Every structure is written in C-alpha cells, then in structure tokens.
Amino acid sequence: MSNSKREVLMKKVEHHLRTTSRQLIKINTEDEVLQYLADSFRSELYCDFVGVVLSEGDSFIPKAWSGNIPSILRHFPLLAANCSSKLLRQSLTYKASATNNSCRLTEILKEENVKTWFTVPLNDDIHHFGFCIVGFLSYVPLLEMESHFEEFGKDMAVALSVARQKENQLKKLEGIEWISKNQSLDSSLDQHFSEVTYRAGKSTNADFACMYIYNEKENCFDLQRPVYGEMEYLDRMMIEDNYALKEYFPFLEVTGCAQMTVPLLIDLKPIGVLHVQNKYERPFTEEDLKILEMLSTHVATLLENARLYKSEKDNKNRLHYLLDFQQSLVKKTVEDDDFEGITLKLSDLFQETVILYDRFMRPIAFNFRNSDNDYNLPDNLALQANMLRQNLKKQEKFTVVHPDRDDCVFSFWVINGGGNLLGYLSVCNTASEMNEFDQLTVEMARNICSIQFIKQKLVLDTKEQVKDSFISKLLVEKVEDQESIIQYANLFQWDIFKYHRVAVLTVSIDEDDLLEQQAKKVLIWDAIKSHLAKFDSRILTVSHDENYILLLPVDDDVQSKKYWKNLYDNIERWSLEVFSGCKILLGIGTSTSNMKDYYVSYQQALLALNVMNIRMKHISFSLYEDLGAYTILHHLDQSNAVNLFIKSQLDPLLTYTENKNIDLYHTLYVFLQNNGNIKSTSDELFIHRSSLLYRLEKIESLLNIDLNDAEIRFNLMMAFKLHDMHGDRLKKS
C-alpha cells in the first residue's frame, strides 16, 4: 500500500473513531453504547465480526456482538485467569498469538481460523470495563494506530460510565414512577411481591431476585413466590439462637460482590429481606444498592399500609361482629334463664374454654375447647382462684395457671352489678396478651352476664318474697287462710302435709358497723342457700322475723343426729368461706303432723337456740328433744333460791374436789348418767369396781344421802343441770 493511500485510510479511521466517541456520549444506556460500537466498527472497517466483552467478576462475558461467526460465542464466558492480563491494559493483535500461547482467547481465535484480529481495552483512570475485539477471516494489513485505538478505548470507557450513570438515574426515575403507580392496595400482596422482585432483578441486571418475609410464629424466613430468574434457593430459612440478620444473609448491604441483600424495615424492625444474585459473579454497585434500598422502602411501606388497612378493615368488621354478637347475647338473656347459651357463644368467639362462676366461686356454666375436657377443671381452678381472690379483693382481674399446662393461663374477671359482686368470668388465654377487641369483648360479655345475674336475682328475690310471705302466714299460733297457704305451697312444689322439722339458724359477726354486719350476714345466708340446694334439694329456706329458717321433710336420715351434725358442719364451712369471723348456731324443732305444728316446731327451734346461746355455749347445734329439762330450767329466774338449791345439793362435793385429788363431783355425775349401774360407771371412769364403791360411800357420807333413793337422784340431776346453766355465775358470786 502506498504511503498516500495509507495516510488517507488512517485519517478515515481516526475520523471514524472521533465521530464514534462523540456519538457514544449521546447514548443513554449501556446496551445501546455497546451495540452501536460493535455495529459502527463492522460497517466502517468491513470486518467479519466485532465483539464487546466486559469483565464481570472473574469472567469475560460478551455484551454486544456484530457478525456471523456464532461459533466463537459458544466458548464464552471465559475465565479471566485463563486469558492474557494485557487485554484490559493495552491493545493486542493476532501477532500476539505467536508469542503468547497461554491465552485462551488467542487459542479460540486460532481454532476458529480468524486470520487477523486486534483488541482495544476499554478503561479509564479508574475502571477496567473490558475490551473490544475486531476480527477478519482473511489477512488484512493493520495500520499502526494502537495509540488511537487505546485513546478511543478510554473514550469508550467514559461513555460506558456515563451511560451506566444515565441508566441508573433512569432506573431510579422508572422505579419512582413504578412505585407511585403501585401504591394501591387493590392488588394482592403476592402480586406486589412478584412485581417488586421483577423490578429488583431488572433494575440491577441481576440473574436472580427474591424476597424473604419473617414468619414470627414459626421463627423463620419464608420465601415469597414467584421469584425472578432461576437459581437454587431455600424455601424456608429457620432462625436459630443467633438473631443477627447478617448471620443468615452474609451479603447484607455489601457492594462489590455477586450477591446483595437489603433489609425490609418497619419502625427499624426487620420484617424481611430483598435479595439479588448473579450467576457469573458480576458485582453489584453502590447504585444497585440504592435502587434496592428504594424498593425495600417501598415494600416496607406497602406492608405497613397493608397491615394498617387490614387492621382498619378487621376492626370495622370486628365492630360489626361485636354488635351482632351483643344482640345475640342479649337475645340469649331474654330466651334463657341460665348461662349455658352465653358461655357457648363466648367460647365460639374466643375459640377457647370459657367458665362462668357465681360469686362464691362455684362453676355454674362452662364450655370446653381444645384439650380441656376434664370436668374437674372448673373446680380445680376455683380452688386456686379462691386463694388468690382473698388477697386481690379490689382487683377486677387476676390469672390462674392451668393445673396441667404451664403454658396456659385462665384470666378471671369480676362481674359486678348494682355495686355488688355477682360472679366471675374465666377465659383460657393461650396468647400472651389480649388485644383491645378481645378486651372490649370481655367487657361486653361481663355486662351481659351482669344483666343475666341481675335478672336471675330479681326472679329469685321475687320468689323469695312470695315464699317468705306465705311461710310467715304458716309460722303463727293461729293459722288463717289455709287455702292460700296450700296454693303457694303447691306453687313451690312443697308438700305441706308431709311431716317436717323447722330449724332456725343464726349468724353472729364481730363487726361494729351495723350496716356492714347486715351486709355480711346477707352474703353468708345467700351462700348457705345456694349450697343447700345441692346438699339436699328437699330443704326449703326462708327468712322470717330476722331469722333464717330451714324446713326439712322428715325421714330416717333427718331424724338422726348424724344428719344434723353433717348439715351443721357444712353450713359452718360454707359460712367461713365467705367470712372467717362468723359464728353459726342451729336450733331444730320437733316433727310436725299438721299445719298448726309448724308454729310449735318453730318455737321449739327458737327455744333451743336461746338455751345454746345463753346457757350452753359449748354446743352450736341441738335438737329440741335433746335438751330435755334444760328447756324448762332455762326459764327459771336466776334467784338466790337457785343458788341455795345448787349449794345444798352439791356444795360439799365441790369443796371436797377442790381440796383433794379425787373428783367426786364428776364421779357422781357419771354414776347418775349411767342410771346407777356400777359396771358401766367404773368402765367409763376407768377405775376398779372397789374404787368406785369407796367413792360412792364417801359421797353418801359427805352429802348425808342414800343414792338408792329415786327422789334424791332426781334432785341431784336437777342440781347438776342448774349448775351447768348457772355455774359461771356461781363462781363469780
């Protein structure tokens, strides 16, 4: 080639390079820059192929290609370590293949019969982007324009950098525009997640993008489908003892690597991550991180908006449901007199076990859920609750641990009405906290239960008033309007003509405040009445003349003293559960045979009470017939005649007993109680027969009497009974 032609060609190529450099600056995207470069070179230099190869991680990857030799492309990507290190720093030509046998690129070009080729490094002062390769299938003369091509490579690198910046800015603008269009909550979250992962993958040129959301219940990160691209991944990432996010996502907010993860934060609390990854180790940049952070902020905002929207929607639906539920509960109070329907509906609402107790902590209605099928559970909980409520009287809520499950707690709420304690509502609470709607539901249920309690109380009070009224007509000396009494008795399904005993009960409380004392007495009496209904359903309870009366039909059990002792012991226990500082007395009259006898039995019960209260304080209940002569002696005036009689009969024995070790007073009492039987008396006193005979002789000597005389025995028994009744007064005189 002549020098003139050579110069013309060089100028033509140099002009093309300058024109191309200026044109590249005008292009906005990296792909357009690379493709324009490849096409312009091929059209101007009449070469067979032009390729632009960029360095990504440890590989060379073709990003733009122009020409019809696809067989070369199948060898890519190439490991950079297997190629000449000069590719990124200076121009190389086909002549390098003769001197460098260790470069995989030159080997490939030789294998594909590329006769003439040269490379142009694409770099600036900071970045080594890759290189441009130009090839010919025939030999062509290469001009000595290495310096021009290398300068063009630098211009190309600047164009690439500018294009990437423009592309990143464009991606941000597109991202902002996309976010503004996707703030709507009309689409499902799954659809939003799909679009976010797609946008994350496209915006960062990633091969794979996905999103993990933290599952608090299972303590793990769950993958959200669909994902962008194809790559191996875990569907679920379990959280161990270490809660550091970087432990599970090591590329958290790290640039310069082929993976990158950004957290999804709501109120500085991580709720998930957005993750991108490349197959060929292309590193992610600061610009990619900013794009992902923008998308993660959008996702977090979207999730928070969705949560608030769902919460608001749920709240609205819950309020509507609560109103319907309240109407349903109120309807139950109208339709039913018990609490079964109320506890069933509450249990359905909470999906938990619900138990309703009366004010004495006795279960009156319950509905079991889950594994709570133990019918002893309400009573077992009541035992614990009873111990707690003594110390928590002013608190409206307390908790009791399930007797068999430490992870389950029953919450107890006090039910009040009209200033009075009416009962307790208990709900099994497996969750750590009740939300505001659960609490609102509980308050509503307490009010409904309070209405039902008050309704029941009004009905019971009315029945009690009717019952007290007709019983008052029966417990008078002269019974009038017998037909009316019989009708009322039939109303209560009470056979008035059956034999009955009338018992009178009194409650004594050590309380200075009369109003407080009366209030406590009412509580105790209500507790006794309530328990008696279960103890013996035949017992009729009424209030009459400030006395509490029990009417029991007579049978063999009621006639036995064992029955009355058992009844009294239970009444005393029930009373002490309500108020520990109370004393109970119970007097029982004899059996009735007609309507007039109820008054007699009532008076006998009152008399028995008076004798116990004034004369015989060592006993707390008694049948009238068991008091015998005490019922008559009780009415004797405490005069000197009584004192003189006791002293004349027993004083020598009392004096002797005080001065000696032998208790002749007690010996004589046991002897008389055993009707003068020597063997029975000696056995009861645990002494020998001869010792007893000696004591009896001594007694006869001291009293100057004959114990075989029936009249003398009667006088001595009378003296003993009077001494039992007036002994304390005699000691003081």
Side-chain angles (χ1 to χ4, degrees):
M1 182 183 292
S2 63
N3 289 334
S4 60
K5 288 184 178 180
R6 185 184 183 91
E7 289 177 0
V8 170
L9 181 58
M10 289 182 64
K11 288 182 179 179
K12 182 179 179 182
V13 172
E14 183 180 355
H15 175 73
H16 173 68
L17 293 176
R18 286 199 302 270
T19 304
T20 302
S21 297
R22 288 194 294 270
Q23 187 64 31
L24 289 175
I25 298 298
K26 299 177 182 180
I27 301 175
N28 292 324
T29 67
E30 180 179 335
D31 291 341
E32 290 175 349
V33 167
L34 299 177
Q35 195 59 48
Y36 179 81
L37 173 63
D39 293 340
S40 64
F41 257 81
R42 186 162 179 262
S43 63
E44 189 66 31
L45 299 179
Y46 303 106
C47 52
D48 292 294
F49 70 89
V50 176
V52 180
V53 181
L54 297 186
S55 173
E56 293 188 358
D58 58 358
S59 300
F60 288 138
I61 299 173
K63 290 294 184 178
W65 200 267
S66 180
N68 297 317
I69 310 180
S71 58
I72 296 177
L73 285 175
R74 65 183 175 84
H75 295 283
F76 285 91
L78 294 175
L79 288 175
N82 296 335
C83 299
S84 174
S85 60
K86 296 179 181 179
L87 285 170
L88 299 178
R89 299 195 304 273
Q90 65 185 60
S91 295
L92 297 178
T93 68
Y94 67 97
K95 296 177 182 180
S97 62
T99 58
N100 188 357
N101 296 322
S102 61
C103 179
R104 179 58 183 155
L105 178 62
T106 60
E107 292 175 358
I108 293 169
L109 293 173
K110 184 183 291 187
E111 291 171 4
E112 299 297 334
N113 293 317
V114 180
K115 304 299 183 182
T116 306
W117 58 267
F118 67 91
T119 63
V120 179
L122 307 177
N123 57 43
D124 56 18
D125 296 335
I126 301 174
H127 301 100
H128 294 277
F129 292 100
F131 58 89
C132 177
I133 182 169
V134 180
F136 302 86
L137 295 179
S138 58
Y139 285 105
V140 296
L142 291 178
L143 304 176
E144 296 176 357
M145 295 190 66
E146 287 89 345
S147 60
H148 293 287
F149 278 112
E150 288 177 2
E151 285 299 320
F152 173 74
K154 293 180 181 179
D155 293 339
M156 177 68 180
V158 172
L160 273 175
S161 181
V162 171
R164 286 185 177 182
Q165 289 180 6
K166 288 181 178 179
E167 194 170 6
N168 286 331
Q169 290 175 353
L170 183 62
K171 286 177 182 178
K172 283 185 180 180
L173 291 174
E174 289 176 352
I176 294 171
E177 183 181 0
W178 177 82
I179 287 173
S180 64
K181 291 179 180 179
N182 286 273
Q183 290 286 2
S184 171
L185 294 173
D186 294 334
S187 302
S188 67
L189 282 177
D190 290 341
Q191 185 176 345
H192 280 292
F193 290 161
S194 174
E195 292 174 353
V196 167
T197 51
Y198 174 80
R199 177 64 55 178
K202 293 294 288 184
S203 299
T204 60
N205 294 320
D207 297 315
F208 175 75
C210 67
M211 189 184 305
Y212 284 92
I213 299 297
Y214 179 60
N215 184 336
E216 189 170 1
K217 185 176 181 181
E218 301 291 335
N219 196 27
C220 66
F221 285 101
D222 287 332
L223 181 73
Q224 305 300 304
R225 284 189 171 82
V227 298
Y228 173 79
E230 294 184 0
M231 192 169 285
E232 292 185 2
Y233 51 82
L234 294 173
D235 287 334
R236 172 169 286 189
M237 201 173 296
M238 300 304 298
I239 303 298
E240 304 298 336
D241 295 335
N242 193 337
Y243 282 85
L245 201 59
K246 203 173 184 67
E247 187 73 19
Y248 307 96
F249 301 98
F251 298 94
L252 187 69
E253 298 180 303
V254 174
T255 59
C257 299
Q259 297 184 49
M260 183 185 291
T261 308
V262 293
L264 307 176
L265 303 174
I266 294 180
D267 295 332
L268 301 180
K269 178 182 177 182
I271 60 164
V273 296
L274 183 60
H275 178 78
V276 292
Q277 192 169 341
N278 280 317
K279 293 180 181 178
Y280 303 115
E281 302 299 323
R282 183 184 71 79
F284 290 101
T285 64
E286 289 287 343
E287 294 298 328
D288 295 328
L289 176 61
K290 291 177 181 178
I291 290 172
L292 291 183
E293 286 176 342
M294 179 178 65
L295 289 173
S296 71
T297 301
H298 164 66
V299 174
T301 304
L302 192 67
L303 285 172
E304 180 65 5
N305 288 343
R307 185 189 68 81
L308 293 174
Y309 177 77
K310 184 177 182 300
S311 176
E312 189 66 26
K313 191 175 180 180
D314 289 345
N315 289 348
K316 183 179 178 181
N317 293 336
R318 189 74 181 269
L319 283 173
H320 282 298
Y321 181 76
L322 282 179
L323 288 174
D324 294 338
F325 182 73
Q326 183 180 28
Q327 291 178 357
S328 178
L329 282 182
V330 171
K331 186 178 179 182
K332 283 292 180 184
T333 64
V334 175
E335 293 176 348
D336 304 326
D337 292 329
D338 56 25
F339 293 91
E340 296 295 337
I342 294 176
T343 53
L344 176 61
K345 282 202 164 290
L346 283 174
S347 183
D348 288 341
L349 179 65
F350 287 117
Q351 292 297 301
E352 294 285 1
T353 296
V354 173
I355 307 172
L356 193 65
Y357 296 86
D358 65 11
R359 58 180 166 173
F360 306 111
M361 201 58 76
R362 292 174 309 167
I364 56 177
F366 52 82
N367 193 271
F368 290 138
R369 287 277 174 171
N370 303 323
S371 60
D372 294 328
N373 294 320
D374 181 8
Y375 284 89
N376 293 321
L377 176 63
D379 291 321
N380 292 336
L381 289 171
L383 289 176
Q384 298 183 55
N386 263 324
M387 292 186 288
L388 280 174
R389 68 172 180 157
Q390 301 298 328
N391 302 321
L392 304 171
K393 289 183 178 179
K394 294 185 179 179
Q395 292 191 14
E396 292 203 348
K397 179 188 175 184
F398 57 92
T399 57
V400 174
V401 179
H402 193 294
D404 300 320
R405 293 167 52 196
D406 293 338
D407 62 331
C408 181
V409 173
F410 276 84
S411 298
F412 281 73
W413 285 272
V414 173
I415 300 174
N416 292 315
N420 298 318
L421 172 64
L422 300 176
Y424 298 89
L425 174 64
S426 178
V427 179
C428 179
N429 184 18
T430 53
S432 57
E433 289 290 339
M434 278 193 167
N435 59 39
E436 57 183 2
F437 280 98
D438 290 335
Q439 294 172 4
L440 183 61
T441 304
V442 168
E443 288 301 314
M444 181 191 66
R446 288 170 67 190
N447 291 334
I448 299 298
C449 289
S450 175
I451 292 171
Q452 186 74 336
F453 272 119
I454 292 173
K455 172 190 167 185
Q456 283 192 348
K457 190 174 185 303
L458 289 173
V459 173
L460 289 174
D461 286 349
T462 303
K463 290 178 68 175
E464 286 293 316
Q465 290 174 6
V466 172
K467 185 169 59 175
D468 292 351
S469 176
F470 92 83
I471 292 294
S472 297
K473 295 179 180 180
L474 182 65
L475 299 181
V476 293
E477 188 172 3
K478 186 177 180 181
V479 178
E480 298 178 356
D481 197 6
Q482 294 187 10
E483 286 298 322
S484 174
I485 294 174
I486 293 171
Q487 289 176 5
Y488 279 119
N490 289 333
L491 181 65
F492 288 94
Q493 298 180 343
W494 182 48
D495 187 357
I496 198 171
F497 296 106
K498 190 175 181 178
Y499 290 173
H500 285 79
R501 278 183 180 267
V502 179
V504 179
L505 180 145
T506 61
V507 179
S508 301
I509 296 177
D510 187 13
E511 176 67 59
D512 295 332
D513 189 335
L514 294 178
L515 292 176
E516 185 70 18
Q517 183 185 111
Q518 189 60 32
K520 289 178 179 177
K521 282 185 178 182
V522 170
L523 282 176
I524 292 171
W525 176 236
D526 286 346
I528 292 171
K529 287 192 298 183
S530 182
H531 283 288
L532 281 175
K534 294 183 178 180
F535 177 82
D536 190 340
S537 59
R538 303 172 302 166
I539 299 176
L540 193 67
T541 56
V542 293
S543 299
H544 176 67
D545 288 345
E546 299 185 358
N547 291 317
Y548 303 126
I549 298 174
L550 284 62
L551 295 116
L552 290 85
V554 173
D555 56 18
D556 293 339
D557 287 340
V558 173
Q559 290 291 71
S560 70
K561 194 167 184 178
K562 182 180 178 181
Y563 173 87
W564 290 102
K565 183 178 187 321
N566 184 33
L567 175 61
Y568 174 81
D569 289 343
N570 278 287
I571 289 175
E572 185 178 43
R573 177 170 56 83
W574 300 331
S575 305
L576 293 175
E577 287 176 358
V578 180
F579 184 68
S580 57
C582 67
K583 182 179 180 182
I584 306 296
L585 291 179
L586 182 65
I588 305 110
T590 58
S591 175
T592 64
S593 60
N594 55 60
M595 290 179 66
K596 294 180 180 179
D597 288 344
Y598 284 96
Y599 172 74
V600 175
S601 184
Y602 172 57
Q603 293 299 320
Q604 289 171 341
L606 287 176
L607 183 57
L609 272 179
N610 289 333
V611 172
M612 287 186 292
N613 191 38
I614 299 174
R615 309 297 184 184
M616 304 179 70
K617 296 185 178 181
H618 58 285
I619 61 175
S620 299
F621 80 95
S622 177
L623 278 72
Y624 175 80
E625 56 266 33
D626 289 346
L627 293 176
Y630 285 110
T631 59
I632 302 300
L633 299 176
H634 167 68
H635 293 285
L636 291 178
D637 182 38
Q638 298 177 8
S639 62
N640 287 332
V642 173
N643 297 342
L644 291 173
F645 178 75
I646 295 172
K647 286 185 177 183
S648 66
Q649 296 293 323
L650 302 175
D651 194 53
L653 288 184
L654 292 170
T655 303
Y656 184 86
T657 298
E658 289 176 0
N659 297 325
K660 304 290 183 178
N661 292 328
I662 301 175
D663 190 350
L664 295 181
Y665 176 88
H666 183 60
T667 300
L668 178 58
Y669 180 80
V670 174
F671 176 74
L672 294 173
Q673 289 292 329
N674 284 279
N675 295 318
N677 187 293
I678 298 298
K679 185 179 184 307
S680 299
T681 304
S682 60
D683 289 344
E684 186 172 341
L685 292 173
F686 299 103
I687 61 176
H688 194 268
R689 174 186 175 87
S690 60
S691 297
L692 175 60
L693 292 174
Y694 169 76
R695 290 187 184 185
L696 293 176
E697 288 178 3
K698 188 67 175 176
I699 290 170
E700 287 180 329
S701 174
L702 286 172
L703 297 179
N704 193 23
I705 59 171
D706 181 4
L707 289 176
N708 292 320
D709 190 326
E711 186 68 25
I712 288 174
R713 285 190 186 183
F714 174 78
N715 290 335
L716 287 171
M717 284 301 298
M718 180 74 73
F720 272 114
K721 292 183 182 295
L722 288 171
H723 187 266
D724 285 345
M725 297 172 61
H726 301 281
D728 292 339
R729 182 173 62 81
L730 290 173
K731 290 178 182 179
K732 294 177 183 178
S733 62

